Amino acid sequence: MLENIFQPMQIGSLELKNRFIVSPMETNYCTAEGEVTETFIAYHEAKAKGGWGLIVTEDYAVDPLGKAFPYVPGLWSDEHIQGNKNLTERVHKAGGRIFTQLYHCGRSTTKEIIGTDPVGPSPIACAPNSGPTRELTTEEVGGLIEKFGDSARRAMNAGFDGIEIHGAHGYLIAQLMSPYTNKRIDKYGGGTIGRMRFPLEIIGNIRKKCGAAFPIQFRISGEELAIGGREIEDTKVMARMLEEHGIDSLNISVGASGSKRNSVVPSMVSHGWIADYAAEIKKVVKIPVIVAGRITEAMLADTIITSGKADAVAMGRASLADPELPNKAKSGNFENIVHCIGCMLGCAVRNCQFLPVRCVLNPRIGREKEYTITSCDRKKKVLIAGGGPSGMEAAIVAARRGHDVTLYEKRDRLGGQYYLAAVPPWKGEISDFLAWQVRTMEAEGVKVVTGTELTRGYVETENPDVLILATGSISKLPPVPGIDQSFVMTANEALEGKKDVGRNIAVIGGGLVGSETAHHFAVHGKKVTIIELLPEIAKEEPDVIKGFLLKSLEEYGTEIYTDTAVQKIDAQGNIHVKKDDRPVMLGKFDTVIISTGMQSVKTMQDAADLPVDEIHVIGDADETGQVIKAIDDGYRVALKL
Ligand SMILES: Cc1cc2nc3c(=O)[nH]c(=O)nc-3n(C[C@H](O)[C@H](O)[C@H](O)COP(=O)(O)OP(=O)(O)OC[C@H]3O[C@@H](n4cnc5c(N)ncnc54)[C@H](O)[C@@H]3O)c2cc1C
Ligand SMILES: Cc1cc2nc3c(=O)[nH]c(=O)nc-3n(C[C@H](O)[C@H](O)[C@H](O)COP(=O)(O)O)c2cc1C
């Protein structure tokens, strides 16, 4: 099925060995001065080793005032060339090809980041910035064109195989291209010709400084998905103009600042959702068209190309979850690939907090050197209690290092609570990761014993060198009268699917787990009511996920009571609450689901006299929280055994 994705492809003068392209992603791995770091180089080197046909780096600023993030790399100075030479040499040595993406963010930044008011084509401020946006003068626009050209020359001197001009996502070039943000009446404004003058003069300047053979790719949003923003028919015209002015390939994305939906979407959005925009653009140009957008699997990537919608695919988060995806796909090793689940937590959420980008499923991302699995000095007998994501990750890494590993799980299934996290709608892809962990443990020779609780007695009999307690967490129950009745159950029990759940359900506790549990039952035809003490539900969900969840809960007619304190559950299934200091009775419910938080399982944690040299407590057993910590704990602890 992969006959097209592994075909070589030409971008201008450059031949790519295949059509797997790493989509540009800010990492926060560079310095505040725009210098690349060893972390940044090792991260790209790992992808080059993983077999990607082309890596497009994150956006490099052409001017320090064009930074949307504090730690983006830069090419605004000749001093940036040497560090990037080290990067390109390492990538080339590993068999990769690399473009640098060049950008200026224009109005899409804040005074805190750049130290002065942001600039834009017109004085229209952008949401993250609380101050004004200063309109660029005509001369300043001309000056920025030179800066793009100079940065491209530096990129060429640093050994990059080409550049991508970032004309998407509502950054400065896109701002000038769009009637949404460009209200100018000088030569850089007005109709399509005026709005295209900035990108076309940038291309001309780069060609002048880098020559005709230097590959130039252009990233463009097929639609801005913003009220009054650019739509696909206008983009098609622009694509033709870009081709006519010497662009070698087009990389299609979507969005602008203020869009209804931007390019980085969670699991609620379909795989390959931008491909139809690319297909439209492909109808009007002859140069290669590339597309991104939740393309997570090799077979999907190949199918998009086979369907004629694009010539190559850009995969962002899929390359974080598994930098070796192309090599594994090429060797037919599909079941060994870790696929992105669109959770947003390690990548997009951390990026917006200016933290180094990570991947929930792949702790090694951004720590390629420190997190390298090496053979152990001495083979140890390792016992692990708990077959959730944390325990399984520890088992895999410990076994890969050559230890003798046995994992005990007290249930008759593996996956821990993360197995239940996969149950609600839109989260099913989590099972893909757990299935990978289960398969990989088997492949690495981990002995797995399910249906067996690891107890002190077992530990004493087995006499291990290392004990890892990955025993997770259990539901915390509030002291509410009536909670012990037969029709009351925890969210985990309800999601496990082994207890009868009636038609009319109340969920007490509208945090992440409660809201997702409510959503699950609402989608499966139940009438659901959420009762939450705080003023809002799903507080811990990232905003981008919360938006989808709240809308769907509303569509399914879920009743939501916030600022509401539960007083009692009576024998008839009524819930007595206090709302606005008044007693109210809600009901009558067939089933009441409790989701009011978790607490660590402390089994054996205080057994200081256990006959084991090394004891580690990891994941939720150490501190309840998020799976990113649980998986990272497992990996990190096993690296040091
Ligand atoms: C509905 C739901 C949605 C969630 N969604 C998200 C999300 O979107 N993002 C996120 O980051 N997190 C989410 N979580 C939380 C996430 O699932 C947990 O943080 C994660 O599973 C913790 O992993 P763990 O391996 O530490 O513990 P667990 O997954 O709890 O696994 C611990 C395992 O240990 C076993 N065990 C306990 N004691 C013993 C013993 N003595 N011997 C043998 N076995 C034992 C248990 O049976 C269990 O299988 C969600 C949880 C739920 C329930
Ligand atoms: C953490 C993160 C940073 C990103 N930074 C950039 C960037 O610097 N330039 C860019 O054009 N796109 C950026 N994107 C968007 C991606 O290139 C890509 O279009 C998007 O993630 C959708 O592809 P995916 O579903 O394969 O991840 C970023 C995405 C993520 C997740």
Side-chain angles (χ1 to χ4, degrees):
M1 275 189 70
L2 302 187
E3 61 213 21
N4 289 312
I5 192 99
F6 283 108
Q7 293 299 318
M9 186 178 92
Q10 207 70 28
I11 296 187
S13 59
L14 180 73
E15 184 178 278
L16 305 183
K17 64 183 171 197
N18 64 43
R19 292 157 188 245
F20 281 110
I21 297 179
V22 176
S23 206
M25 278 178 294
E26 283 131 8
T27 54
N28 295 311
Y29 296 163
C30 295
T31 69
E33 290 73 40
E35 290 289 354
V36 302
T37 57
E38 174 56 28
T39 299
F40 186 75
I41 295 176
Y43 159 82
H44 286 300
E45 185 181 35
K47 295 195 189 188
K49 286 184 184 159
W52 298 84
L54 175 67
I55 296 166
V56 184
T57 68
E58 69 193 78
D59 37 26
Y60 277 52
V62 300
D63 184 307
L65 301 186
K67 291 164 54 168
F69 291 81
Y71 305 111
V72 288
L75 274 167
W76 62 78
S77 154
D78 284 350
E79 285 172 18
H80 290 131
I81 295 174
Q82 185 53 49
N84 283 290
K85 256 190 194 157
N86 301 341
L87 165 68
T88 57
E89 275 167 19
R90 293 258 293 274
V91 166
H92 290 153
K93 206 166 158 213
R97 295 275 176 234
I98 184 162
F99 282 11
T100 180
Q101 189 185 54
L102 295 181
Y103 94 134
H104 187 298
C105 64
R107 68 179 199 135
S108 285
T109 186
T110 63
K111 201 170 180 171
E112 288 69 46
I113 295 172
I114 59 169
T116 180
D117 288 334
V119 294
S122 301
I124 302 172
C126 181
N129 185 34
S130 49
T133 289
R134 185 176 66 75
E135 181 172 344
L136 287 162
T137 63
T138 308
E139 292 67 38
E140 281 177 318
V141 176
L144 286 171
I145 290 166
E146 295 294 335
K147 288 189 180 194
F148 270 95
D150 292 340
S151 297
R153 181 203 21 96
R154 291 184 193 110
M156 191 172 76
N157 291 343
F160 283 103
D161 299 289
I163 54 147
E164 177 171 282
I165 301 172
H166 197 347
H169 304 168
Y171 288 133
L172 186 63
I173 295 176
Q175 286 160 29
L176 274 128
M177 286 163 63
S178 174
Y180 176 60
T181 36
N182 182 350
K183 317 287 175 176
R184 300 175 76 93
I185 52 173
D186 67 356
K187 64 178 178 169
Y188 294 110
T192 307
I193 291 178
R195 282 188 275 109
M196 281 302 284
R197 198 176 309 279
F198 185 55
L200 298 183
E201 288 187 359
I202 287 175
I203 295 165
N205 199 287
I206 295 173
R207 282 274 171 250
K208 193 172 82 192
K209 289 172 181 162
C210 300
F214 191 56
I216 307 179
Q217 178 160 296
F218 195 93
R219 192 161 213 207
I220 189 168
S221 294
E223 292 205 348
E224 291 185 302
L225 305 176
I227 307 287
R230 212 185 55 240
E231 294 180 355
I232 187 68
E233 292 305 325
D234 305 307
T235 307
K236 283 159 76 174
V237 176
M238 291 178 166
R240 294 179 70 197
M241 293 170 86
L242 290 164
E243 179 176 41
E244 206 175 271
H245 280 76
I247 283 294
D248 295 306
S249 50
L250 278 164
N251 187 359
I252 312 304
S253 187
V254 290
S257 315
S259 302
K260 285 174 278 176
R261 182 176 290 176
N262 76 27
S263 66
V264 193
V265 290
S267 58
M268 290 79 205
V269 178
S270 324
H271 291 128
W273 69 288
I274 306 175
D276 286 341
Y277 295 115
E280 277 302 300
I281 291 164
K282 208 170 142 43
K283 285 179 191 162
V284 298
V285 295
K286 294 187 189 66
I287 51 175
V289 170
I290 299 156
V291 71
R294 277 241 319 132
I295 302 168
T296 53
E297 295 197 16
M299 286 187 284
L300 171 66
D302 190 79
T303 304
I304 287 173
I305 298 172
T306 306
S307 67
K309 292 185 175 180
D311 300 289
V313 295
M315 298 163 81
R317 289 165 294 165
S319 73
L320 302 178
D322 200 333
E324 293 177 62
L325 183 146
N327 281 350
K328 290 178 182 174
K330 192 164 189 189
S331 62
N333 200 359
F334 295 104
E335 293 220 310
N336 199 9
I337 298 174
V338 177
H339 293 116
C340 168
I341 56 172
C343 72
M344 314 282 279
L345 298 173
C347 53
V349 170
R350 285 178 59 93
N351 186 38
C352 292
Q353 297 165 341
F354 309 147
L355 294 171
V357 158
R358 303 266 181 258
C359 175
V360 164
L361 309 184
N362 177 9
R364 194 166 176 242
I365 273 296
R367 290 178 290 201
E368 282 72 13
K369 284 269 146 68
E370 308 90 292
Y371 275 40
T372 294
I373 296 177
T374 50
S375 300
C376 59
D377 297 335
R378 177 172 74 84
K379 185 171 181 157
K380 294 181 183 169
K381 182 168 178 179
V382 180
L383 289 198
I384 300 176
S390 197
M392 291 201 283
E393 194 70 13
I396 290 166
V397 176
R400 283 184 168 164
R401 297 196 55 225
H403 293 298
D404 170 15
V405 185
T406 309
L407 179 142
Y408 289 85
E409 167 53 53
K410 72 175 180 187
R411 291 176 183 277
D412 54 7
R413 61 149 182 88
L414 294 165
Q417 285 182 76
Y418 209 36
Y419 173 90
L420 302 176
V423 173
W426 292 320
K427 296 192 74 175
E429 288 169 53
I430 287 174
S431 318
D432 188 335
F433 173 69
L434 291 174
W436 173 86
Q437 282 193 316
V438 172
R439 277 196 305 272
T440 309
M441 281 201 300
E442 194 185 336
E444 299 295 342
V446 175
K447 285 161 262 167
V448 176
V449 188
T450 51
T452 306
E453 181 169 352
L454 189 64
T455 56
R456 190 190 168 96
Y458 263 93
V459 175
E460 282 169 352
T461 315
E462 290 289 323
N463 195 22
D465 301 300
V466 180
L467 173 65
I468 298 180
L469 299 173
T471 47
S473 53
I474 50 164
S475 306
K476 236 194 269 176
L477 296 177
V480 170
I483 203 164
D484 49 359
Q485 300 177 78
S486 61
F487 59 87
V488 183
M489 61 186 77
T490 64
N492 283 11
E493 286 169 330
L495 291 170
E496 195 78 53
K498 291 185 180 155
K499 286 201 168 187
D500 279 350
V501 172
R503 217 196 94 61
N504 197 4
I505 298 174
V507 177
I508 297 179
L512 179 152
V513 172
S515 302
E516 291 187 356
T517 304
H519 187 223
H520 166 69
F521 286 111
V523 167
H524 287 277
K526 310 289 186 184
K527 175 154 183 4
V528 183
T529 302
I530 301 176
I531 305 169
E532 167 59 46
L533 188 63
L534 297 176
E536 58 174 322
I537 64 159
K539 200 166 168 281
E540 317 93 300
E541 298 271 20
D543 285 348
V544 58
I545 291 181
K546 192 169 164 179
F548 284 95
L549 183 62
L550 296 188
K551 189 159 177 268
S552 187
L553 284 169
E554 191 185 339
E555 277 166 10
Y556 280 92
T558 311
E559 279 192 61
I560 300 172
Y561 292 87
T562 50
D563 288 313
T564 304
V566 172
Q567 308 289 303
K568 180 174 103 175
I569 306 165
D570 71 23
Q572 287 70 45
N574 298 305
I575 302 182
H576 300 255
V577 302
K578 222 176 204 182
K579 171 107 183 116
D580 302 328
D581 268 339
R582 282 205 214 114
V584 180
M585 192 176 83
L586 305 174
K588 162 182 179 274
F589 300 105
D590 305 319
T591 300
V592 177
I593 295 173
I594 309 288
S595 179
T596 47
M598 306 298 293
Q599 60 191 24
S600 300
V601 173
K602 296 286 179 192
T603 318
M604 289 185 278
Q605 285 191 27
D606 40 15
D609 58 337
L610 272 175
V612 187
D613 289 344
E614 234 182 302
I615 302 181
H616 301 277
V617 183
I618 61 173
D620 271 17
D622 169 44
E623 191 184 326
T624 60
Q626 297 208 323
V627 75
I628 188 166
K629 169 195 157 32
I631 296 173
D632 183 62
D633 277 2
Y635 197 109
R636 186 174 34 77
V637 158
L639 270 185
K640 299 205 178 104
L641 299 180

